[in-house]
Amino acid sequence: MKDIFDECQFGDLNLKGRVVRTGTWETETEEGGFLSPAIFDRYEKIAGSGVGLIVSEIFALDRKDRFAPYSSSLNYRGFMKDYQVITEICHNHEVPILGQLAFFYYDDGDNQKAEANDLTLEGIRKLQAEVIMAAKKFSFAGFDGIQINMGNNFYLTRFINPYFNQRKDQYGGNTENRVRIASEIIKVIKKTMDMHVSIRINPWDVRKGGITAEESIEIAKELEKAGADSIQLTARTISYLYDGAEKNPFLVYVDKLIEAIDIPVILGGNSRDMASMNDVLNHTDVEFMSMSKPFVAQADFLADWKANGEGVSICQSCNNCYSKKTSTCFKY
């Protein structure tokens, strides 16, 4: 029987459990972007709780990004010193940590909000270089890898989506072409750095003319071919609403995805209790599951679950931490 606290292999990383903590916003920084004591304390509690892998809060590329005020920064003076402490905290507990890069806008030098169809080839090279440089900064700070967020509705999500991308060159058209911008980034990172590369993707898109479940699997295959080490599923909330009469569509999709690729897949979703998570582990092909908001409500809840052999998160799924873009809980 599989259990969320099993020691296991995650690509090139050794994990002490199957639960992946995924970060979202960061709002507890001090003036100038420096990390507050509360952030260090939060990471100490998460890393020591029994989590298998930590994905950091979102890092934005540009201080003018839509979500930059609520995100971590790669470019403040204390980044290297602060995050070397964060990664050391995680490693002291033998927990790997990935730096999460997610941006909504992209400034190509001419247009602060350039979309997929606006970018010249020079603009694409500039974007790729900035993402690769972010990976290099993560590496210097001690992160074990980078997670490039190509899910939800972030920039690269839109770039690979046929609903938004109508380019006529090698970066538009079929699936391979639209994913090329990411494939080339992955190849350079894997060739030049010793970094785990994880990619977040949506299983499908709710827009007419957007990405289907079938194409999403093809996208994952392209990412694997380029050298990606793992895939994490995420989604705009509306994408996974269902009436309960059928098996959860995320679970149907994830089994098909796991069968189609040979790299680890992390199942996202609204996991809230140990029993149902273990049920998923033992009745599907899922090996890894991510949680986000429960760690906002209580950073070290997994320690209680592990000690008791059972548990339910105190998170009420009110979604205020996400919608109000804060790294603290409104209820606790």
Side-chain angles (χ1 to χ4, degrees):
M1 297 286 287
K2 290 187 289 186
D3 185 84
I4 62 172
F5 295 111
D6 292 337
E7 293 189 7
C8 48
Q9 194 73 21
F10 182 77
D12 50 355
L13 301 175
N14 298 315
L15 306 191
K16 297 170 67 177
R18 299 182 186 275
V19 176
V20 178
R21 179 271 192 169
T22 297
T24 50
W25 313 117
E26 183 58 88
T27 55
E28 293 188 295
T29 53
E30 297 178 340
E31 186 176 355
F34 295 89
L35 303 190
S36 68
I39 296 173
F40 296 109
D41 181 61
R42 185 201 314 157
Y43 271 93
E44 186 72 52
K45 289 179 177 177
I46 295 171
S49 69
V51 71
L53 172 69
I54 292 176
V55 179
S56 77
E57 281 73 30
I58 289 170
F59 283 86
L61 274 180
D62 191 318
R63 62 180 178 81
K64 300 185 292 295
D65 189 77
R66 175 180 176 180
F67 299 127
Y70 324 106
S71 301
S72 300
S73 173
L74 282 159
N75 300 311
Y76 71 100
R77 287 188 297 113
F79 165 78
M80 200 62 64
K81 181 179 179 181
D82 278 353
Y83 279 95
Q84 283 176 343
V85 174
I86 292 292
T87 56
E88 184 178 3
I89 287 171
C90 297
H91 294 155
N92 284 343
H93 290 282
E94 300 180 328
V95 176
I97 178 171
L98 310 181
Q100 181 189 172
L101 186 70
F103 50 99
F104 193 84
Y105 296 138
Y106 182 67
D107 184 350
D108 66 355
D110 296 317
N111 183 349
Q112 186 178 330
K113 299 178 182 179
E115 289 292 343
N117 298 329
D118 303 325
L119 288 183
T120 62
L121 289 180
E122 182 181 359
I124 287 175
R125 295 292 175 262
K126 179 176 180 292
L127 184 154
Q128 291 174 318
E130 290 184 25
V131 174
I132 293 163
M133 183 56 68
K136 180 64 73 175
K137 289 182 178 180
F138 286 145
S139 177
F140 286 154
F143 286 90
D144 300 281
I146 181 172
Q147 182 174 91
I148 304 173
N149 195 326
M150 292 170 54
N152 302 106
N153 206 31
F154 286 106
Y155 189 87
L156 288 174
T157 316
R158 302 195 304 278
F159 195 103
I160 67 172
N161 193 326
Y163 180 89
F164 295 99
N165 184 338
Q166 285 87 44
R167 298 178 68 96
K168 304 299 182 184
D169 61 4
Q170 66 266 41
Y171 293 95
N174 63 33
T175 304
E176 180 182 2
N177 282 357
R178 282 181 276 113
V179 179
R180 189 185 306 278
I181 188 171
S183 297
E184 292 175 344
I185 290 169
I186 295 167
K187 289 175 182 177
V188 172
I189 294 173
K190 296 303 297 182
K191 185 176 181 179
T192 60
M193 302 171 224
D194 183 19
M195 296 280 280
H196 183 105
V197 177
S198 181
I199 308 291
R200 291 182 78 179
I201 64 170
N202 297 328
W204 52 73
D205 186 38
V206 295
R207 303 178 182 89
K208 184 178 180 180
I211 292 171
T212 64
E214 292 73 23
E215 188 183 21
S216 179
I217 290 176
E218 293 306 310
I219 287 170
K221 289 180 179 178
E222 289 295 326
L223 296 169
E224 178 187 24
K225 188 191 306 182
D229 297 293
S230 63
I231 298 290
Q232 180 172 352
L233 295 184
T234 186
R236 299 164 63 214
T237 302
I238 192 173
S239 301
Y240 57 83
L241 296 179
Y242 68 107
D243 62 12
E246 301 281 339
K247 186 177 180 182
N248 185 322
F250 253 39
L251 297 182
V252 174
Y253 170 89
V254 74
D255 273 348
K256 292 179 180 178
L257 176 61
I258 291 169
E259 184 178 353
I261 61 178
D262 292 323
I263 55 176
V265 174
I266 305 167
L267 175 67
N270 291 319
S271 301
R272 293 292 182 271
D273 69 277
M274 183 172 171
S276 63
M277 293 174 73
N278 278 336
D279 185 64
V280 169
L281 288 173
N282 287 288
H283 292 92
T284 71
D285 292 329
V286 172
E287 299 278 349
F288 308 96
M289 304 179 74
S290 66
M291 306 176 79
S292 177
K293 300 179 187 71
F295 285 102
V296 179
Q298 182 186 352
D300 56 357
F301 71 94
L302 283 178
D304 294 335
W305 289 18
K306 190 170 186 178
N308 299 329
E310 61 179 5
V312 178
S313 171
I314 63 173
C315 176
Q316 299 298 301
S317 300
C318 67
N319 209 41
N320 275 331
C321 60
Y322 186 82
S323 61
K324 296 183 183 300
K325 298 177 178 59
T326 177
S327 51
T328 54
C329 183
F330 282 75
K331 289 183 176 289
Y332 304 104

